Amino acid sequence: MRQVLVLDAGNSIIKAKLGENEITYPHALRKLTETEYRQVVERSGPSGPPLDYVRVNDEYYVLGESAERHGKITRRTGAARYT
């Protein structure tokens, strides 16, 4: 069964809900390569990747504070937050 990820990008917080889990993040987003994403999945074990690592339309992203640990990050402001 496929799960649906719901994102709400408000003024300063991104709220994400996947299944029964819900979490909030500061506005930070970084695109990952497939290799980077797979490394996270392999390290996470049987529980799967943390909720802040997501795949959307076969593209990989990390959100919030975890994005800040993945190198240089561009904080998006204004309408650019929604791209």
Side-chain angles (χ1 to χ4, degrees):
M1 181 174 89
R2 294 183 118 177
Q3 290 188 335
V4 175
L5 173 69
V6 179
L7 289 175
D8 174 12
N11 291 333
S12 63
I13 301 290
I14 296 173
K15 299 171 206 91
K17 184 169 185 173
L18 180 62
E20 297 293 320
N21 300 314
E22 187 171 344
I23 195 161
T24 60
Y25 309 96
H27 275 288
L29 174 71
R30 182 174 184 276
K31 189 171 181 179
L32 298 175
T33 65
E34 184 175 358
T35 303
E36 289 173 318
Y37 182 80
R38 291 197 185 281
Q39 287 173 346
V40 170
V41 170
E42 289 170 2
R43 285 192 308 245
S44 61
S47 62
L51 291 177
D52 47 358
Y53 290 84
V54 296
R55 184 178 79 184
V56 179
N57 297 331
D58 293 327
E59 293 186 8
Y60 305 92
Y61 298 92
V62 59
L63 309 171
E65 294 175 6
S66 296
E68 295 173 347
R69 291 193 295 268
H70 276 275
K72 187 175 179 180
I73 186 78
T74 302
R75 289 191 181 273
R76 297 179 182 210
T77 59
R81 288 191 312 245
Y82 305 104
T83 58

